Amino acid sequence: MLSQNHLPTLSDVIIKQTLFLKRSDIQHQLLAITLSLVISWLLSKWFWRWLQKTFPQATAFIWNDARLPLGQYLAMLIEELGFPLISLIALNLSQIIFITLNYTRGLLTTAITLMCIYLFYRFFLASLYATFSMAAVREYHYRLLAPLGCIFILGTIVNLYDSVEQLAQISVLTLFNSSITLGNIFILIAGLYFWMTVVIFLEKLVHIFLGNRPQIDSGSLEASLLLIRYFLIALGIVVILGYIGVNGTALAAITGGLSVGIGFGLQQVVSNFISGFILLFEKVLKPGDIISIDNQVCEVTKLGIRATTVKMATDNSEKIIPNQKFFTSDLTTYTGSDRLVSCSIVIGVGYSSKTKQVMELLLQVADTHPQVLKNPAPLVFFVNFGDSSLNFELKIWINWLNDINTRKQIISDLCCLILETFSKHKIEIPFPQIEVHIDQIRSHANSL
């Protein structure tokens, strides 16, 4: 470990890098590496276009299928490995020329090593694309694998002319008597990024393995995973800040200063965050719940820490509702403790109808529908004597599953069956009638 007096400064690093790049042997090798990579890239693109024209079926729509057939997998291997293979050939030829001319070839050797690692990386990536879902592999290719590869390549290049450990100790600024180095900044940014990526990746893996099990409620699982995600992210922030040596007193001072601004300027945002934590901890709402808010029926699709996304039953649109609204508005949930929902159909029949027959027919109609539950059993009530009809109520219970329109569909089916059944048994469904009586004597007097 170098003492504080011998630590390099940022200007020292820039001067050292400039002197390194001014060396003629370094410039010759960089030129050879650049030409080799450019020519290899052009040749690989030309070869792939030739394959597309020669074998259009094997090379067409290569990224559209979740699992690739053998022909498309071989074509993908050629596309993935073409550039690194041709680059290795070109770099080795350049190294042979440098050996013949007795030139320095340290950078070329490093470039060949890195290209071999890149070749293995592309082969590993092609295997993942052929084995797992392409959308998932592509997401974590760019979010996890590609950033790790870039950091490894940059670290290898930096080590050619300087030590990464010494560069990490360069002080950029001083904050609250604490020195902030390049290493601290890198660990803070990269550490938080990779920690959050890994936490989200593990969350999705747990959801894949446990989400399809019938004994586990999917809404409770998603809510629990969301809580665990935010807990792990907060834990990672604390650990990383402690690792890089952030002064706790300084952090408390900054937080205290910001709290005043947060209290006035971000009051609604903080309120939504607190409401989100309450919703998650108390499990008032879960993804998949059917609720009614502001007299609109909707389904909870995503429960977030700041806002909740719901799907409206009227037009299937999605609406983002701040979490605070669930505590300030009247909320009705149809699937809070269970997913059993009662539905009622009120129907009127003529006064000449037999009440017992009507009640029996309504129960028979309810029993014939496969989505009407037998327990609790359907019920029929003679409600009242209407102006033009005898009014009955059919009450049924359904299991509200994933479709938000299940209730409307079942009621529609039952109404059609009731109309058909009543028509067969000649039971009249009357329409409102108004009788008008004319007083003839008064009309005659008025005419005189």
Side-chain angles (χ1 to χ4, degrees):
M1 181 69 65
L2 294 176
S3 63
Q4 187 69 26
N5 295 330
H6 293 85
L7 288 179
T9 62
L10 189 59
S11 59
D12 293 337
V13 173
I14 295 175
I15 294 173
K16 189 174 182 180
Q17 183 179 9
T18 305
L19 294 175
F20 178 78
L21 294 176
K22 283 184 177 181
R23 291 168 48 185
S24 60
D25 56 338
I26 298 299
Q27 293 177 356
H28 294 158
Q29 293 181 78
L30 289 177
L31 179 61
I33 293 172
T34 303
L35 289 176
S36 300
L37 294 180
V38 171
I39 294 173
S40 301
W41 183 79
L42 293 174
L43 287 177
S44 64
K45 291 299 180 182
W46 172 83
F47 183 66
W48 177 247
R49 289 179 182 175
W50 177 81
L51 283 178
Q52 287 181 321
K53 294 180 181 179
T54 309
F55 305 100
Q57 294 181 351
T59 56
F61 308 106
I62 192 170
W63 302 108
N64 291 351
D65 301 323
R67 299 293 179 86
L68 295 177
L70 180 60
Q72 288 192 347
Y73 176 65
L74 293 176
M76 185 176 66
L77 277 179
I78 294 174
E79 184 187 24
E80 295 290 326
L81 305 182
F83 170 68
L85 282 175
I86 299 175
S87 297
L88 279 176
I89 296 173
L91 290 173
N92 277 283
L93 289 176
S94 300
Q95 189 180 42
I96 293 173
I97 295 173
F98 272 62
I99 293 174
T100 304
L101 299 175
N102 200 20
Y103 285 172
T104 305
R105 55 187 184 277
L107 282 181
L108 278 171
T109 304
T110 304
I112 292 172
T113 303
L114 290 176
M115 191 56 64
C116 290
I117 297 174
Y118 182 67
L119 176 64
F120 174 77
Y121 166 76
R122 300 298 292 183
F123 178 78
F124 174 71
L125 191 63
S127 302
L128 290 179
Y129 275 121
T131 306
F132 301 101
S133 171
M134 284 191 161
V137 175
R138 181 175 294 183
E139 178 183 1
Y140 288 99
H141 167 211
Y142 292 108
R143 294 184 60 181
L144 186 62
L145 298 179
L148 285 174
C150 291
I151 291 175
F152 174 77
I153 292 174
L154 289 175
T156 304
I157 294 175
V158 169
N159 271 327
L160 291 175
Y161 60 87
D162 211 331
S163 174
V164 175
E165 295 182 358
Q166 293 184 14
L167 291 178
Q169 297 176 26
I170 295 177
S171 179
V172 179
L173 55 92
T174 301
L175 184 64
F176 294 100
N177 296 324
S178 297
S179 179
I180 306 298
T181 63
L182 284 177
N184 292 338
I185 296 175
F186 175 79
I187 292 175
L188 181 62
I189 297 175
L192 289 177
Y193 173 81
F194 286 114
W195 176 254
M196 288 189 290
T197 303
V198 170
V199 167
I200 296 174
F201 176 69
L202 293 176
E203 178 190 359
K204 291 185 178 181
L205 282 181
V206 173
H207 190 273
I208 291 173
F209 285 113
L210 299 180
N212 296 327
R213 297 190 178 184
Q215 65 271 23
I216 299 178
D217 182 69
S218 59
S220 299
L221 176 63
E222 290 190 19
S224 301
L225 290 177
L226 189 62
L227 278 174
I228 296 173
R229 181 210 300 177
Y230 285 114
F231 170 76
L232 291 177
I233 290 176
L235 179 63
I237 293 174
V238 173
V239 171
I240 292 174
L241 290 177
Y243 178 79
I244 64 177
V246 174
N247 192 331
T249 305
L251 185 62
I254 295 174
T255 306
L258 291 177
S259 62
V260 178
I262 290 175
F264 289 99
L266 302 177
Q267 183 178 2
Q268 296 296 326
V269 176
V270 175
S271 177
N272 288 326
F273 271 94
I274 295 175
S275 301
F277 276 112
I278 295 175
L279 288 175
L280 291 173
F281 276 107
E282 293 186 354
K283 295 185 178 179
V284 179
L285 292 179
K286 303 182 298 296
D289 282 351
I290 308 298
I291 63 173
S292 175
I293 186 169
D294 293 338
N295 296 322
Q296 291 183 316
V297 179
C298 51
E299 177 186 3
V300 179
T301 57
K302 183 179 179 181
L303 192 62
I305 200 67
R306 186 195 63 84
T308 298
T309 304
V310 298
K311 181 182 292 184
M312 309 306 295
T314 53
D315 54 3
N316 204 38
S317 62
E318 287 192 347
K319 187 176 181 180
I320 299 176
I321 302 177
N323 289 329
Q324 184 185 7
K325 189 174 181 62
F326 294 104
F327 294 92
T328 58
S329 302
D330 292 334
L331 173 67
T332 302
T333 174
Y334 298 99
T335 55
S337 57
D338 54 47
R339 304 191 74 83
L340 299 182
V341 180
S342 65
C343 307
S344 295
I345 300 176
V346 178
I347 186 171
V349 298
Y351 269 87
S352 60
S353 305
K354 299 179 181 179
T355 57
K356 291 186 177 179
Q357 182 188 19
V358 172
M359 297 175 73
E360 291 176 356
L361 290 176
L362 289 175
L363 289 175
Q364 290 177 10
V365 169
D367 289 336
T368 57
H369 199 285
Q371 291 181 280
V372 175
L373 298 179
K374 302 299 185 292
N375 185 22
L379 298 173
V380 176
F381 303 98
F382 187 171
V383 180
N384 56 35
F385 296 91
D387 294 335
S388 306
S389 62
L390 304 174
N391 297 325
F392 294 83
E393 178 185 359
L394 172 62
K395 186 173 184 179
I396 61 171
W397 293 83
I398 64 173
N399 189 1
W400 210 331
L401 299 175
N402 296 327
D403 191 359
I404 195 173
N405 294 314
T406 300
R407 182 180 180 182
K408 288 185 177 180
Q409 185 62 49
I410 294 175
I411 293 177
S412 175
D413 295 341
L414 289 175
C415 289
C416 294
L417 290 173
I418 290 172
L419 181 61
E420 183 180 351
T421 302
F422 281 9
S423 299
K424 288 182 180 179
H425 291 81
K426 298 181 180 180
I427 296 176
E428 179 188 6
I429 300 178
F431 50 87
Q433 300 179 3
I434 300 177
E435 294 184 2
V436 180
H437 299 275
I438 301 175
D439 191 344
Q440 296 182 353
I441 298 177
R442 183 175 298 177
S443 299
H444 180 69
N446 291 334
S447 63
L448 294 177

